[in-house]
Short mmCIF file of all heavy atoms in Angstrom, two decimals:
data_model
loop_
_atom_site.label_atom_id
_atom_site.label_comp_id
_atom_site.label_asym_id
_atom_site.label_seq_id
_atom_site.Cartn_x
_atom_site.Cartn_y
_atom_site.Cartn_z
N MET A 229 92.08 128.84 110.75
CA MET A 229 92.32 128.22 109.45
C MET A 229 91.49 128.90 108.38
O MET A 229 90.57 129.63 108.69
CB MET A 229 91.95 126.73 109.51
CG MET A 229 90.45 126.45 109.51
SD MET A 229 90.12 124.70 109.27
CE MET A 229 88.65 124.77 108.26
N GLU A 230 91.84 128.64 107.15
CA GLU A 230 91.05 129.18 106.06
C GLU A 230 90.26 128.06 105.40
O GLU A 230 90.72 126.93 105.29
CB GLU A 230 91.96 129.88 105.06
CG GLU A 230 92.49 131.18 105.63
CD GLU A 230 93.34 131.93 104.63
OE1 GLU A 230 94.29 131.34 104.10
OE2 GLU A 230 93.06 133.09 104.39
N LYS A 231 89.08 128.44 104.97
CA LYS A 231 88.13 127.46 104.48
C LYS A 231 87.74 127.77 103.04
O LYS A 231 87.43 128.91 102.70
CB LYS A 231 86.88 127.54 105.37
CG LYS A 231 85.85 126.50 105.09
CD LYS A 231 84.70 126.68 106.06
CE LYS A 231 83.48 125.95 105.54
NZ LYS A 231 82.27 126.33 106.27
N LEU A 232 87.77 126.72 102.22
CA LEU A 232 87.45 126.86 100.80
C LEU A 232 85.95 126.60 100.60
O LEU A 232 85.40 125.63 101.12
CB LEU A 232 88.28 125.83 100.03
CG LEU A 232 88.18 125.85 98.51
CD1 LEU A 232 88.72 127.16 97.95
CD2 LEU A 232 88.97 124.66 97.94
N VAL A 233 85.33 127.48 99.81
CA VAL A 233 83.88 127.38 99.59
C VAL A 233 83.57 127.59 98.11
O VAL A 233 84.14 128.47 97.47
CB VAL A 233 83.13 128.46 100.42
CG1 VAL A 233 81.63 128.39 100.17
CG2 VAL A 233 83.42 128.31 101.91
N VAL A 234 82.66 126.78 97.57
CA VAL A 234 82.07 127.06 96.26
C VAL A 234 80.62 127.48 96.50
O VAL A 234 79.82 126.70 97.01
CB VAL A 234 82.11 125.83 95.32
CG1 VAL A 234 81.36 126.14 94.01
CG2 VAL A 234 83.54 125.41 95.00
N LYS A 235 80.33 128.72 96.17
CA LYS A 235 78.98 129.23 96.38
C LYS A 235 78.07 128.79 95.23
O LYS A 235 78.53 128.20 94.25
CB LYS A 235 79.01 130.77 96.42
CG LYS A 235 79.87 131.31 97.55
CD LYS A 235 79.79 132.82 97.63
CE LYS A 235 80.47 133.47 96.45
NZ LYS A 235 80.46 134.95 96.51
N GLU A 236 76.80 129.11 95.33
CA GLU A 236 75.87 128.78 94.26
C GLU A 236 76.21 129.58 93.01
O GLU A 236 76.63 130.72 93.10
CB GLU A 236 74.44 129.11 94.69
CG GLU A 236 73.80 127.93 95.38
CD GLU A 236 72.35 128.20 95.72
OE1 GLU A 236 71.63 128.76 94.88
OE2 GLU A 236 71.98 127.86 96.84
N GLY A 237 76.02 128.95 91.85
CA GLY A 237 76.22 129.68 90.61
C GLY A 237 77.31 129.10 89.74
O GLY A 237 77.59 129.63 88.66
N CYS A 238 77.94 128.00 90.18
CA CYS A 238 78.95 127.32 89.35
C CYS A 238 78.32 126.95 88.01
O CYS A 238 77.18 126.51 87.94
CB CYS A 238 79.42 126.07 90.09
SG CYS A 238 80.36 124.92 89.07
N ILE A 239 79.10 127.14 86.92
CA ILE A 239 78.59 126.80 85.59
C ILE A 239 79.27 125.54 85.04
O ILE A 239 79.11 125.19 83.87
CB ILE A 239 78.75 127.97 84.61
CG1 ILE A 239 80.21 128.42 84.54
CG2 ILE A 239 77.85 129.14 85.03
CD1 ILE A 239 80.50 129.41 83.40
N GLY A 240 80.06 124.89 85.88
CA GLY A 240 80.63 123.60 85.48
C GLY A 240 81.72 123.67 84.43
O GLY A 240 81.92 122.73 83.67
N CYS A 241 82.47 124.76 84.40
CA CYS A 241 83.51 124.93 83.36
C CYS A 241 84.67 123.97 83.55
O CYS A 241 85.36 123.62 82.60
CB CYS A 241 84.00 126.36 83.34
SG CYS A 241 85.11 126.75 84.70
N GLY A 242 84.95 123.58 84.79
CA GLY A 242 86.00 122.59 85.05
C GLY A 242 87.37 123.13 85.37
O GLY A 242 88.29 122.36 85.62
N ILE A 243 87.53 124.44 85.37
CA ILE A 243 88.86 125.00 85.65
C ILE A 243 89.36 124.57 87.03
O ILE A 243 90.49 124.09 87.17
CB ILE A 243 88.83 126.55 85.55
CG1 ILE A 243 88.67 126.97 84.10
CG2 ILE A 243 90.11 127.15 86.15
CD1 ILE A 243 88.50 128.48 83.90
N CYS A 244 88.53 124.74 88.03
CA CYS A 244 88.98 124.44 89.40
C CYS A 244 89.27 122.95 89.58
O CYS A 244 90.27 122.58 90.20
CB CYS A 244 87.95 124.93 90.42
SG CYS A 244 86.33 124.16 90.25
N VAL A 245 88.42 122.12 89.01
CA VAL A 245 88.60 120.67 89.14
C VAL A 245 89.88 120.25 88.40
O VAL A 245 90.63 119.38 88.87
CB VAL A 245 87.38 119.92 88.57
CG1 VAL A 245 87.57 118.42 88.64
CG2 VAL A 245 86.11 120.32 89.32
N GLY A 246 90.15 120.88 87.27
CA GLY A 246 91.35 120.57 86.50
C GLY A 246 92.61 121.00 87.21
O GLY A 246 93.62 120.29 87.19
N GLU A 247 92.57 122.16 87.85
CA GLU A 247 93.77 122.71 88.50
C GLU A 247 94.03 122.10 89.87
O GLU A 247 95.16 121.93 90.27
CB GLU A 247 93.60 124.22 88.70
CG GLU A 247 93.90 125.05 87.50
CD GLU A 247 93.97 126.53 87.86
OE1 GLU A 247 93.37 126.94 88.86
OE2 GLU A 247 94.62 127.26 87.12
N ASN A 248 92.97 121.84 90.59
CA ASN A 248 93.10 121.41 91.99
C ASN A 248 92.15 120.26 92.30
O ASN A 248 91.21 120.40 93.10
CB ASN A 248 92.78 122.61 92.91
CG ASN A 248 93.78 123.73 92.76
OD1 ASN A 248 94.95 123.60 93.10
ND2 ASN A 248 93.31 124.85 92.24
N PRO A 249 92.41 119.11 91.67
CA PRO A 249 91.49 117.98 91.87
C PRO A 249 91.48 117.43 93.29
O PRO A 249 90.57 116.69 93.66
CB PRO A 249 92.01 116.92 90.88
CG PRO A 249 93.41 117.31 90.60
CD PRO A 249 93.49 118.80 90.74
N ASP A 250 92.49 117.83 94.08
CA ASP A 250 92.49 117.40 95.48
C ASP A 250 91.55 118.26 96.34
O ASP A 250 91.23 117.89 97.46
CB ASP A 250 93.92 117.42 96.05
CG ASP A 250 94.67 118.72 95.75
OD1 ASP A 250 94.24 119.50 94.86
OD2 ASP A 250 95.69 118.96 96.41
N TYR A 251 91.08 119.37 95.80
CA TYR A 251 90.17 120.25 96.56
C TYR A 251 88.76 120.33 95.96
O TYR A 251 87.81 120.60 96.67
CB TYR A 251 90.73 121.67 96.63
CG TYR A 251 91.82 121.83 97.65
CD1 TYR A 251 93.16 121.65 97.30
CD2 TYR A 251 91.54 122.17 98.97
CE1 TYR A 251 94.18 121.79 98.23
CE2 TYR A 251 92.54 122.33 99.91
CZ TYR A 251 93.87 122.14 99.54
OH TYR A 251 94.87 122.28 100.47
N PHE A 252 88.66 120.13 94.62
CA PHE A 252 87.36 120.28 93.96
C PHE A 252 87.00 119.00 93.22
O PHE A 252 87.87 118.30 92.71
CB PHE A 252 87.39 121.41 92.93
CG PHE A 252 87.72 122.77 93.47
CD1 PHE A 252 89.03 123.23 93.45
CD2 PHE A 252 86.74 123.60 93.99
CE1 PHE A 252 89.36 124.48 93.94
CE2 PHE A 252 87.05 124.86 94.47
CZ PHE A 252 88.36 125.31 94.45
N GLU A 253 85.70 118.78 93.11
CA GLU A 253 85.22 117.59 92.41
C GLU A 253 83.87 117.95 91.79
O GLU A 253 83.12 118.76 92.33
CB GLU A 253 85.04 116.50 93.47
CG GLU A 253 84.66 115.15 92.99
CD GLU A 253 84.57 114.20 94.19
OE1 GLU A 253 85.60 113.60 94.54
OE2 GLU A 253 83.48 114.10 94.78
N PHE A 254 83.58 117.29 90.66
CA PHE A 254 82.25 117.45 90.07
C PHE A 254 81.26 116.53 90.76
O PHE A 254 81.56 115.36 91.02
CB PHE A 254 82.26 117.11 88.58
CG PHE A 254 82.78 118.21 87.71
CD1 PHE A 254 83.74 117.95 86.74
CD2 PHE A 254 82.30 119.50 87.83
CE1 PHE A 254 84.22 118.96 85.93
CE2 PHE A 254 82.78 120.53 87.03
CZ PHE A 254 83.74 120.25 86.07
N GLY A 255 80.07 117.05 91.02
CA GLY A 255 78.99 116.21 91.54
C GLY A 255 78.19 115.62 90.40
O GLY A 255 78.47 115.85 89.22
N ASP A 256 77.18 114.83 90.72
CA ASP A 256 76.31 114.22 89.71
C ASP A 256 75.61 115.27 88.87
O ASP A 256 75.20 115.01 87.74
CB ASP A 256 75.25 113.32 90.38
CG ASP A 256 75.91 112.11 91.02
OD1 ASP A 256 77.03 111.74 90.62
OD2 ASP A 256 75.29 111.52 91.93
N ASN A 257 75.45 116.47 89.43
CA ASN A 257 74.79 117.55 88.69
C ASN A 257 75.74 118.27 87.73
O ASN A 257 75.36 119.23 87.08
CB ASN A 257 74.17 118.55 89.68
CG ASN A 257 75.21 119.15 90.63
OD1 ASN A 257 76.41 118.88 90.50
ND2 ASN A 257 74.76 119.95 91.57
N GLY A 258 77.00 117.80 87.68
CA GLY A 258 77.96 118.42 86.76
C GLY A 258 78.56 119.71 87.28
O GLY A 258 79.25 120.42 86.55
N LEU A 259 78.30 120.02 88.53
CA LEU A 259 78.81 121.25 89.12
C LEU A 259 79.87 120.92 90.18
O LEU A 259 79.85 119.86 90.79
CB LEU A 259 77.67 122.05 89.74
CG LEU A 259 76.52 122.40 88.79
CD1 LEU A 259 75.43 123.15 89.52
CD2 LEU A 259 77.01 123.19 87.59
N SER A 260 80.74 121.87 90.37
CA SER A 260 81.86 121.66 91.29
C SER A 260 81.45 121.85 92.75
O SER A 260 80.63 122.71 93.07
CB SER A 260 82.95 122.68 90.94
OG SER A 260 83.94 122.70 91.94
N HIS A 261 82.02 121.03 93.60
CA HIS A 261 81.90 121.27 95.03
C HIS A 261 83.25 120.98 95.68
O HIS A 261 84.13 120.37 95.08
CB HIS A 261 80.78 120.42 95.66
CG HIS A 261 80.99 118.95 95.51
ND1 HIS A 261 80.44 118.22 94.49
CD2 HIS A 261 81.74 118.07 96.23
CE1 HIS A 261 80.81 116.95 94.60
NE2 HIS A 261 81.61 116.83 95.64
N VAL A 262 83.38 121.42 96.91
CA VAL A 262 84.64 121.28 97.62
C VAL A 262 84.72 119.90 98.28
O VAL A 262 83.75 119.45 98.90
CB VAL A 262 84.77 122.39 98.69
CG1 VAL A 262 85.93 122.14 99.62
CG2 VAL A 262 84.90 123.74 98.02
N VAL A 263 85.85 119.22 98.12
CA VAL A 263 86.03 117.93 98.79
C VAL A 263 86.98 118.03 99.98
O VAL A 263 87.05 117.15 100.81
CB VAL A 263 86.53 116.82 97.83
CG1 VAL A 263 85.43 116.41 96.89
CG2 VAL A 263 87.77 117.23 97.08
N LYS A 264 87.74 119.13 100.04
CA LYS A 264 88.66 119.34 101.16
C LYS A 264 88.55 120.81 101.53
O LYS A 264 89.02 121.68 100.80
CB LYS A 264 90.09 118.98 100.72
CG LYS A 264 91.17 119.19 101.75
CD LYS A 264 92.50 118.74 101.15
CE LYS A 264 93.74 118.93 101.97
NZ LYS A 264 93.89 120.10 102.76
N GLU A 265 87.89 121.08 102.63
CA GLU A 265 87.58 122.48 102.99
C GLU A 265 88.78 123.23 103.55
O GLU A 265 88.94 124.41 103.30
CB GLU A 265 86.48 122.50 104.06
CG GLU A 265 85.09 122.32 103.51
CD GLU A 265 84.05 122.61 104.56
OE1 GLU A 265 84.37 122.56 105.76
OE2 GLU A 265 82.91 122.87 104.16
N GLU A 266 89.57 122.53 104.31
CA GLU A 266 90.65 123.23 105.01
C GLU A 266 91.79 123.54 104.04
O GLU A 266 92.34 122.63 103.42
CB GLU A 266 91.15 122.38 106.17
CG GLU A 266 92.09 123.14 107.06
CD GLU A 266 92.47 122.37 108.33
OE1 GLU A 266 91.76 121.41 108.67
OE2 GLU A 266 93.48 122.72 108.94
N VAL A 267 92.12 124.83 103.92
CA VAL A 267 93.16 125.25 103.00
C VAL A 267 94.53 125.07 103.63
O VAL A 267 94.85 125.71 104.63
CB VAL A 267 92.96 126.73 102.59
CG1 VAL A 267 94.12 127.21 101.72
CG2 VAL A 267 91.63 126.90 101.87
N ASP A 268 95.33 124.21 103.04
CA ASP A 268 96.71 124.05 103.47
C ASP A 268 97.49 125.26 102.95
O ASP A 268 97.42 125.56 101.75
CB ASP A 268 97.27 122.74 102.87
CG ASP A 268 98.63 122.38 103.45
OD1 ASP A 268 99.45 123.31 103.67
OD2 ASP A 268 98.88 121.20 103.67
N PRO A 269 98.19 125.98 103.83
CA PRO A 269 98.90 127.19 103.37
C PRO A 269 99.79 126.96 102.14
O PRO A 269 99.92 127.83 101.29
CB PRO A 269 99.74 127.58 104.58
CG PRO A 269 99.00 127.03 105.75
CD PRO A 269 98.35 125.76 105.26
N LYS A 270 100.35 125.77 102.01
CA LYS A 270 101.23 125.53 100.86
C LYS A 270 100.44 125.42 99.55
O LYS A 270 101.02 125.50 98.47
CB LYS A 270 102.10 124.28 101.09
CG LYS A 270 101.37 122.96 100.96
CD LYS A 270 102.35 121.79 101.07
CE LYS A 270 101.70 120.44 101.30
NZ LYS A 270 100.58 120.08 100.46
N ASP A 271 99.14 125.23 99.65
CA ASP A 271 98.30 125.09 98.45
C ASP A 271 97.58 126.39 98.09
O ASP A 271 96.89 126.47 97.08
CB ASP A 271 97.23 124.01 98.66
CG ASP A 271 97.84 122.65 98.96
OD1 ASP A 271 98.97 122.40 98.50
OD2 ASP A 271 97.18 121.85 99.65
N LYS A 272 97.76 127.40 98.93
CA LYS A 272 96.92 128.59 98.78
C LYS A 272 97.10 129.29 97.44
O LYS A 272 96.15 129.75 96.83
CB LYS A 272 97.18 129.56 99.93
CG LYS A 272 96.19 130.70 99.90
CD LYS A 272 96.11 131.43 101.19
CE LYS A 272 95.16 132.61 101.04
NZ LYS A 272 95.28 133.51 102.18
N GLU A 273 98.34 129.35 96.97
CA GLU A 273 98.58 130.08 95.74
C GLU A 273 97.82 129.47 94.56
O GLU A 273 97.17 130.17 93.79
CB GLU A 273 100.08 130.11 95.44
CG GLU A 273 100.42 131.17 94.43
CD GLU A 273 101.93 131.38 94.31
OE1 GLU A 273 102.63 131.28 95.33
OE2 GLU A 273 102.37 131.62 93.17
N ARG A 274 97.88 128.15 94.44
CA ARG A 274 97.18 127.52 93.30
C ARG A 274 95.67 127.60 93.50
O ARG A 274 94.92 127.65 92.51
CB ARG A 274 97.68 126.09 93.06
CG ARG A 274 97.45 125.10 94.19
CD ARG A 274 98.09 123.75 93.81
NE ARG A 274 98.17 122.82 94.90
CZ ARG A 274 97.26 121.87 95.14
NH1 ARG A 274 96.20 121.76 94.37
NH2 ARG A 274 97.41 121.04 96.14
N LEU A 275 95.22 127.62 94.75
CA LEU A 275 93.78 127.79 94.98
C LEU A 275 93.34 129.20 94.61
O LEU A 275 92.27 129.40 94.02
CB LEU A 275 93.43 127.48 96.44
CG LEU A 275 93.55 126.00 96.81
CD1 LEU A 275 93.41 125.82 98.31
CD2 LEU A 275 92.53 125.15 96.08
N LEU A 276 94.19 130.19 94.91
CA LEU A 276 93.85 131.57 94.53
C LEU A 276 93.79 131.72 93.02
O LEU A 276 93.01 132.52 92.50
CB LEU A 276 94.87 132.54 95.14
CG LEU A 276 94.67 132.83 96.62
CD1 LEU A 276 95.83 133.67 97.16
CD2 LEU A 276 93.35 133.54 96.90
N ASN A 277 94.59 130.94 92.30
CA ASN A 277 94.49 130.94 90.83
C ASN A 277 93.10 130.53 90.38
O ASN A 277 92.52 131.13 89.49
CB ASN A 277 95.50 129.95 90.22
CG ASN A 277 96.84 130.58 89.99
OD1 ASN A 277 96.95 131.80 89.93
ND2 ASN A 277 97.85 129.75 89.86
N SER A 278 92.58 129.49 91.02
CA SER A 278 91.23 129.05 90.67
C SER A 278 90.20 130.10 91.04
O SER A 278 89.25 130.35 90.29
CB SER A 278 90.89 127.72 91.37
OG SER A 278 91.69 126.68 90.86
N VAL A 279 90.39 130.75 92.20
CA VAL A 279 89.49 131.82 92.62
C VAL A 279 89.44 132.89 91.53
O VAL A 279 88.38 133.36 91.13
CB VAL A 279 89.96 132.45 93.96
CG1 VAL A 279 89.18 133.72 94.27
CG2 VAL A 279 89.82 131.45 95.09
N GLU A 280 90.63 133.26 91.03
CA GLU A 280 90.70 134.33 90.04
C GLU A 280 90.16 133.91 88.70
O GLU A 280 89.58 134.70 87.97
CB GLU A 280 92.16 134.77 89.86
CG GLU A 280 92.61 135.70 90.96
CD GLU A 280 94.11 135.94 90.91
OE1 GLU A 280 94.72 135.71 89.84
OE2 GLU A 280 94.66 136.35 91.94
N GLN A 281 90.35 132.64 88.35
CA GLN A 281 89.96 132.19 87.01
C GLN A 281 88.51 131.74 86.90
O GLN A 281 87.98 131.64 85.79
CB GLN A 281 90.87 131.05 86.56
CG GLN A 281 92.28 131.51 86.29
CD GLN A 281 93.16 130.37 85.84
OE1 GLN A 281 92.83 129.66 84.90
NE2 GLN A 281 94.27 130.17 86.51
N CYS A 282 87.88 131.45 88.00
CA CYS A 282 86.50 130.97 87.95
C CYS A 282 85.62 132.00 87.22
O CYS A 282 85.47 133.12 87.69
CB CYS A 282 85.98 130.76 89.37
SG CYS A 282 84.22 130.36 89.40
N PRO A 283 85.03 131.62 86.08
CA PRO A 283 84.26 132.61 85.32
C PRO A 283 82.97 133.03 86.03
O PRO A 283 82.43 134.09 85.75
CB PRO A 283 83.95 131.87 84.01
CG PRO A 283 84.09 130.43 84.32
CD PRO A 283 85.11 130.32 85.42
N ALA A 284 82.51 132.20 86.94
CA ALA A 284 81.28 132.53 87.66
C ALA A 284 81.56 133.26 88.98
O ALA A 284 80.64 133.70 89.67
CB ALA A 284 80.48 131.25 87.93
N GLU A 285 82.85 133.36 89.32
CA GLU A 285 83.27 134.03 90.55
C GLU A 285 82.55 133.50 91.79
O GLU A 285 82.02 134.26 92.60
CB GLU A 285 83.07 135.55 90.43
CG GLU A 285 83.90 136.13 89.30
CD GLU A 285 83.81 137.65 89.17
OE1 GLU A 285 83.07 138.27 89.93
OE2 GLU A 285 84.50 138.18 88.29
N VAL A 286 82.52 132.19 91.89
CA VAL A 286 81.80 131.58 93.03
C VAL A 286 82.72 130.87 94.01
O VAL A 286 82.25 130.28 94.97
CB VAL A 286 80.71 130.60 92.54
CG1 VAL A 286 79.60 131.36 91.84
CG2 VAL A 286 81.27 129.50 91.65
N ILE A 287 84.04 130.92 93.77
CA ILE A 287 84.96 130.28 94.71
C ILE A 287 85.49 131.34 95.68
O ILE A 287 85.93 132.40 95.25
CB ILE A 287 86.17 129.65 93.98
CG1 ILE A 287 85.68 128.69 92.89
CG2 ILE A 287 87.06 128.91 94.98
CD1 ILE A 287 86.82 128.18 92.02
N VAL A 288 85.40 131.04 96.96
CA VAL A 288 85.94 131.98 97.94
C VAL A 288 86.77 131.22 98.98
O VAL A 288 86.53 130.04 99.25
CB VAL A 288 84.83 132.78 98.68
CG1 VAL A 288 84.21 133.81 97.74
CG2 VAL A 288 83.79 131.89 99.27
N ILE A 289 87.74 131.92 99.54
CA ILE A 289 88.51 131.40 100.66
C ILE A 289 88.15 132.26 101.86
O ILE A 289 88.37 133.47 101.85
CB ILE A 289 90.02 131.44 100.37
CG1 ILE A 289 90.35 130.50 99.21
CG2 ILE A 289 90.80 131.01 101.62
CD1 ILE A 289 91.81 130.53 98.78
N GLU A 290 87.53 131.64 102.84
CA GLU A 290 87.05 132.37 104.02
C GLU A 290 87.96 132.13 105.19
O GLU A 290 88.47 131.02 105.38
CB GLU A 290 85.64 131.88 104.41
CG GLU A 290 84.59 132.16 103.37
CD GLU A 290 83.24 131.61 103.78
OE1 GLU A 290 83.17 130.78 104.71
OE2 GLU A 290 82.25 132.02 103.15
N GLU A 291 88.11 133.16 105.98
CA GLU A 291 88.82 133.00 107.25
C GLU A 291 87.83 132.44 108.26
O GLU A 291 86.76 133.01 108.46
CB GLU A 291 89.33 134.38 107.70
CG GLU A 291 90.15 134.35 108.96
CD GLU A 291 91.47 133.62 108.78
OE1 GLU A 291 92.14 133.78 107.73
OE2 GLU A 291 91.83 132.86 109.68
N GLU A 292 88.15 131.28 108.82
CA GLU A 292 87.22 130.70 109.79
C GLU A 292 87.73 130.99 111.18
O GLU A 292 88.84 130.59 111.56
CB GLU A 292 87.08 129.20 109.57
CG GLU A 292 85.97 128.63 110.40
CD GLU A 292 85.51 127.28 109.87
OE1 GLU A 292 86.19 126.28 110.13
OE2 GLU A 292 84.49 127.24 109.17
N LYS A 293 86.91 131.71 111.92
CA LYS A 293 87.30 132.08 113.27
C LYS A 293 87.10 130.89 114.22
O LYS A 293 86.09 130.24 114.21
CB LYS A 293 86.44 133.24 113.78
CG LYS A 293 86.52 134.46 112.89
CD LYS A 293 87.62 135.41 113.34
CE LYS A 293 87.68 136.67 112.52
NZ LYS A 293 88.13 136.48 111.15
N ILE A 294 88.14 130.62 115.00
CA ILE A 294 88.01 129.57 115.98
C ILE A 294 87.83 130.22 117.35
O ILE A 294 88.68 130.98 117.80
CB ILE A 294 89.24 128.65 115.95
CG1 ILE A 294 89.29 127.93 114.58
CG2 ILE A 294 89.18 127.62 117.07
CD1 ILE A 294 90.67 127.54 114.15
N ALA A 295 86.69 129.96 117.95
CA ALA A 295 86.33 130.63 119.21
C ALA A 295 87.22 130.17 120.35
O ALA A 295 87.70 129.06 120.37
CB ALA A 295 84.89 130.35 119.55
S1 SF4 B 591 85.94 127.29 88.04
FE1 SF4 B 591 84.00 128.09 88.93
S2 SF4 B 591 82.46 127.78 87.33
FE2 SF4 B 591 84.22 126.52 86.79
S3 SF4 B 591 83.76 124.49 87.67
FE3 SF4 B 591 84.97 125.62 89.20
S4 SF4 B 591 83.46 126.64 90.54
FE4 SF4 B 591 82.40 126.00 88.67
#
């Protein structure tokens, strides 16, 4: 499966939360974190939009190896 990650360095612009509120949420610190890690293949395109648009370039989709 593929796993959605927000790395350190989010500046709280809100693009990802606005586009994909089912995957991203703001924390009390005003920064985004992931609420649903597992990437559903049907959602990947809109998630990649957020990856590309994030001004801090801190969103990544990782391939998670299952042993
Ligand atoms: S798009 Fe990037 S900088 Fe903006 S809130 Fe989301 S993770 Fe943070």
Side-chain angles (χ1 to χ4, degrees):
M229 75 170 217
E230 288 183 306
K231 185 179 163 193
L232 184 64
V233 178
V234 175
K235 299 184 291 182
E236 271 184 43
C238 167
I239 56 169
C241 76
I243 289 175
C244 61
V245 178
E247 279 191 336
N248 296 294
D250 48 344
Y251 282 91
F252 300 95
E253 185 178 271
F254 280 131
D256 292 339
N257 58 4
L259 304 178
S260 169
H261 60 265
V262 170
V263 288
K264 178 178 177 321
E265 280 190 339
E266 190 173 342
V267 175
D268 189 321
K270 75 174 166 48
D271 300 331
K272 188 162 177 193
E273 196 170 324
R274 63 184 168 95
L275 290 171
L276 283 173
N277 273 340
S278 293
V279 170
E280 280 170 20
Q281 290 181 53
C282 173
E285 299 183 358
V286 292
I287 306 173
V288 288
I289 296 176
E290 295 178 345
E291 184 67 41
E292 190 161 79
K293 302 268 183 292
I294 295 153

